[in-house]
Amino acid sequence: MYSFGHFKKIGLISIILLGIILFFIDPEYSAFIPKCPFRWFTGLDCPACGSQRAIHQLLHLNIKGAFGYNPFLMLSLPYRMALVITQWFDPRNRLARLKRMCHHPIAVNTYLILIIVWWIARNILPFLRGSLPPTI
């Protein structure tokens, strides 16, 4: 009934629309943009806390500001982009070597471990919380 291409188009359109929204609306000052439920319930930061604000800053070419909101997101963008490009935009498998590297169990497990380490570190080390506003 629906092909993967159909879902890919919907996903791409959604990403573009969210990018447009995040370009024009600053998540730091908007009640329209949803806040992190994990942070709201626990008072702790999740690995993605600050990502909306970081993307907003990145869309305005403020790399330093984006890095201040979520350094892990900024450092992992090349890996995430490689995953998206090899999965969605390489139908002829020209990037097969890159795809094998990105999907290799060592790369995936390392990334998951880094997410967990980031999650713990940003809640323990005060200098990693410096640019985020206090808990809501």
Side-chain angles (χ1 to χ4, degrees):
M1 186 162 159
Y2 293 105
S3 66
F4 177 69
H6 179 73
F7 290 113
K8 185 167 57 171
K9 288 177 187 174
I10 292 172
L12 192 57
I13 290 169
S14 299
I15 289 170
I16 291 169
L17 288 174
L18 288 173
I20 291 169
I21 290 169
L22 282 176
F23 182 83
F24 289 107
I25 299 174
D26 188 349
E28 189 162 5
Y29 303 108
S30 172
F32 171 71
I33 304 290
K35 306 300 180 212
C36 177
F38 182 81
R39 188 170 189 204
W40 187 76
F41 282 121
T42 66
L44 299 172
D45 294 331
C46 77
C49 275
S51 294
Q52 293 172 345
R53 292 169 291 191
I55 292 169
H56 174 79
Q57 294 298 320
L58 192 59
L59 290 172
H60 289 272
L61 304 177
N62 182 359
I63 296 171
K64 184 178 178 184
F67 194 86
Y69 282 118
N70 193 325
F72 185 77
L73 172 73
M74 297 302 296
L75 294 173
S76 67
L77 270 180
Y79 178 69
R80 291 176 181 214
M81 293 302 295
L83 285 173
V84 169
I85 289 169
T86 58
Q87 192 67 34
W88 285 16
F89 302 107
D90 188 28
R92 295 187 181 151
N93 214 19
R94 292 182 181 167
L95 301 172
R97 184 173 177 209
L98 179 60
K99 187 174 187 174
R100 281 193 308 274
M101 287 173 36
C102 289
H103 289 268
H104 194 279
I106 292 174
V108 173
N109 290 335
T110 300
Y111 187 69
L112 292 174
I113 289 169
L114 287 173
I115 288 173
I116 293 168
V117 168
W118 168 243
W119 194 348
I120 294 168
R122 78 180 315 187
N123 286 296
I124 292 176
L125 304 173
F127 65 89
L128 291 175
R129 297 185 63 131
S131 61
L132 294 176
T135 304
I136 299 166

